[in-house]
Amino acid sequence: MENKRLFGLVCYLHRQMSRENNYIFADYGITPIQLNALMFTYVKNKNDEKVCQRDIERHVNLRPSSVSSLLSGLQNSGFINRSCAASDARTKYVTLTEKGKSICEENKLLMDKCDGLIQSALSEEEQETFKNLLKKIIAEIPAEKENQ
């Protein structure tokens, strides 16, 4: 009998789609979690929103010390700049450098390519059904605790 574990199939799909992404960006010395933080900052900055370290902590679901270390690595590699808020030196704002923006734009192209693969495998009706099913599953996942 065929293994019908849907979770296993979802994990397999994720690994396959992530493998190429991780391989490409490893050449830049960027880990998947660092790329995630860069993309979060990229999207927010593109929408003229300021990003502080606390926002990234919530987004990647890591402790402040881990995010501080992650951001230090990105800053030392020239992908981001950090600056203190004028009103509170404890608040650190994160902005992308041109090098950081370039990586994010390259990642967006790769995501578009992966999305194209999914779209070419499914009809428009199947894509809509797939999207609705994913949203339904996501809605069932318990919300993250605010202060873990």
Side-chain angles (χ1 to χ4, degrees), residues 20-88:
E20 183 178 356
N21 197 0
N22 295 344
Y23 177 75
I24 289 170
F25 295 102
D27 289 343
Y28 294 102
I30 294 178
T31 65
I33 195 78
Q34 286 175 316
L35 182 59
N36 188 325
L38 286 174
M39 289 303 296
F40 174 76
T41 305
Y42 177 76
V43 170
K44 293 289 188 181
N45 286 176
K46 227 175 162 163
N47 293 325
D48 293 325
E49 296 177 46
K50 287 187 173 187
V51 176
C52 69
Q53 185 167 323
R54 226 172 279 120
D55 298 327
I56 295 172
E57 290 166 12
R58 279 188 225 106
H59 177 73
V60 298
N61 195 24
L62 290 175
R63 284 177 272 151
S65 59
S66 297
V67 171
S68 181
S69 176
L70 178 147
L71 294 177
S72 289
L74 289 172
Q75 187 171 16
N76 291 340
S77 297
F79 294 107
I80 65 164
N81 289 315
R82 287 191 283 182
S83 59
C84 294
S87 60
D88 184 356

Side-chain angles (χ1 to χ4, degrees), residues 2-147:
E2 181 183 339
N3 184 347
K4 296 190 181 207
R5 285 195 173 263
L6 295 175
F7 181 73
L9 290 172
V10 170
C11 290
Y12 179 80
L13 175 64
H14 179 262
R15 277 192 308 275
Q16 289 299 101
M17 307 265 336
S18 294
R19 187 170 285 137
E20 183 178 356
N21 197 0
N22 295 344
Y23 177 75
I24 289 170
F25 295 102
D27 289 343
Y28 294 102
I30 294 178
T31 65
I33 195 78
Q34 286 175 316
L35 182 59
N36 188 325
L38 286 174
M39 289 303 296
F40 174 76
T41 305
Y42 177 76
V43 170
K44 293 289 188 181
N45 286 176
K46 227 175 162 163
N47 293 325
D48 293 325
E49 296 177 46
K50 287 187 173 187
V51 176
C52 69
Q53 185 167 323
R54 226 172 279 120
D55 298 327
I56 295 172
E57 290 166 12
R58 279 188 225 106
H59 177 73
V60 298
N61 195 24
L62 290 175
R63 284 177 272 151
S65 59
S66 297
V67 171
S68 181
S69 176
L70 178 147
L71 294 177
S72 289
L74 289 172
Q75 187 171 16
N76 291 340
S77 297
F79 294 107
I80 65 164
N81 289 315
R82 287 191 283 182
S83 59
C84 294
S87 60
D88 184 356
R90 293 173 296 178
T91 300
K92 306 255 190 286
Y93 288 112
V94 178
T95 56
L96 298 177
T97 63
E98 286 305 314
K99 184 178 177 182
K101 288 177 190 172
S102 176
I103 289 286
C104 291
E105 288 163 3
E106 188 174 339
N107 185 61
K108 185 183 175 317
L109 291 174
L110 185 60
M111 290 186 332
D112 290 346
K113 177 183 169 189
C114 290
D115 202 46
L117 288 171
I118 293 169
Q119 290 176 11
S120 69
L122 303 173
S123 70
E124 284 191 37
E125 184 179 321
E126 289 170 328
Q127 289 175 46
E128 193 61 34
T129 300
F130 185 55
K131 188 185 305 181
N132 289 332
L133 291 171
L134 288 173
K135 287 178 180 178
K136 187 175 182 179
I137 294 166
I138 290 166
E140 290 297 313
I141 297 171
E144 295 177 33
K145 295 178 182 174
E146 285 297 315
N147 297 317

